Amino acid sequence: SQEVFEWIELYLIFTDGSCLYSSNLQVAAAGCAAVQTTPEGLRTMQFAIQLGVPQTAVVSEHVAVVKVAESLPKRRKGHIVCDCQAVVSWAKNTSNARTSHNNKMGGVWAEIGDKIEMATKVKAHLSKKQSEEAGQSHLHNGNAIVDILA
């Protein structure tokens, strides 16, 4: 039997989404990734956004969080680190506000439920020095890796 992937508790999970050729919907291709660094090593997850789902960066950012939530240990919640303000803002909303029919991504957050207990905003595409200057040096490595993978 195949081992089931689960995130390890108490370690941050970095998420990111991206889209190549987003200005040309005929060839646009979106994908996402999640990364966790632990003393045992790097844990990663990558996904291509399937056809039929909008091929945009913001959709892929949200799909990354869905994939993280699906792989959390039962009855456990995760802490994500993300460069997408829309994801961080949604994660901070109440359950009802997250899933409201007025919100474009409400259906995505209905899948996630309350599995994400905290979301930290990290600045995107910073050098190590810039991360230090922004007070985010402890987040640089995980964010840089997930950015490459997405």
Side-chain angles (χ1 to χ4, degrees):
S1 76
Q2 188 176 9
E3 186 177 329
V4 175
F5 178 89
E6 288 186 338
W7 298 106
I8 298 175
E9 273 189 89
L10 306 178
Y11 292 96
L12 298 173
I13 304 166
F14 294 82
T15 65
D16 200 10
S18 65
C19 185
L20 294 171
Y21 313 113
S22 59
S23 62
N24 185 338
L25 296 180
Q26 290 181 326
V27 296
C32 60
V35 169
Q36 189 179 55
T37 57
T38 71
E40 291 80 32
L42 191 66
R43 300 170 59 78
T44 66
M45 192 182 262
Q46 293 173 273
F47 290 93
I49 306 304
Q50 66 188 28
L51 293 176
V53 175
Q55 301 292 303
T56 67
V58 73
V59 167
S60 61
E61 294 274 6
H62 284 82
V63 170
V65 182
V66 170
K67 295 301 182 183
V68 165
E70 289 174 350
S71 297
L72 287 168
K74 289 185 192 295
R75 294 179 288 286
R76 300 293 183 204
K77 296 183 180 192
H79 178 170
I80 61 168
V81 178
C82 182
D83 64 12
C84 179
Q85 185 60 54
V87 168
V88 173
S89 294
W90 281 63
K92 292 181 178 182
N93 278 336
T94 65
S95 293
N96 287 340
R98 286 180 181 177
T99 59
S100 168
H101 70 279
N102 293 325
N103 294 317
K104 290 181 182 179
M105 301 302 288
V108 171
W109 283 97
E111 288 185 48
I112 296 167
D114 288 326
K115 289 185 170 187
I116 303 302
E117 69 180 345
M118 187 179 296
T120 298
K121 173 76 168 80
V122 65
K123 293 186 179 190
H125 314 291
L126 297 183
S127 67
K128 179 91 170 141
K129 183 179 180 193
Q130 290 169 321
S131 291
E132 290 169 5
E133 291 168 355
Q136 296 187 334
S137 60
H138 61 295
L139 303 175
H140 177 75
N141 189 44
N143 192 54
I145 294 168
V146 79
D147 187 52
I148 291 167
L149 294 177

